[in-house]
Amino acid sequence: MGKNQWVVRHDDKWAVRGEGNQRATKVTDTQKQAINVAKGIAQNQKSELIIQGRDGKIRSKDSYGNDPCPPKDKEH
């Protein structure tokens, strides 16, 4: 299983960052663009996608791995 992918605020832009990485994998102009990039990586690596809102709080989580206890995700 790969690293969880985080979508985080990056100055006035948005970044995709692998969990534990100091540097961003990709920086985008919009959160939606960053989510699309991170989702593709998370699906490929069978990991989680964690999205932070503008306030830094976790807004959403999605699991693309072999989650032994998958949540009943009504969001997607």
Side-chain angles (χ1 to χ4, degrees):
M1 191 147 86
K3 288 186 177 184
N4 293 342
Q5 299 300 310
W6 287 74
V7 173
V8 297
R9 198 85 173 118
H10 187 79
D11 298 323
D12 61 344
K13 297 183 183 249
W14 291 89
V16 177
R17 184 177 300 143
E19 192 163 301
N21 291 358
Q22 294 295 319
R23 297 179 60 186
T25 304
K26 175 102 174 153
V27 176
T28 64
D29 290 328
T30 68
Q31 187 184 41
K32 185 174 184 174
Q33 290 170 326
I35 290 169
N36 287 337
V37 170
K39 186 176 185 179
I41 295 169
Q43 287 173 332
N44 189 16
Q45 294 189 357
K46 298 187 176 7
S47 61
E48 290 221 354
L49 167 60
I50 299 112
I51 302 165
Q52 287 185 340
R54 289 184 186 275
D55 58 5
K57 292 182 180 167
I58 292 176
R59 196 186 101 180
S60 176
K61 280 181 156 185
D62 261 323
S63 180
Y64 297 100
N66 297 323
D67 193 336
C69 186
K72 291 175 175 62
D73 188 354
K74 304 280 190 247
E75 186 178 345
H76 298 101

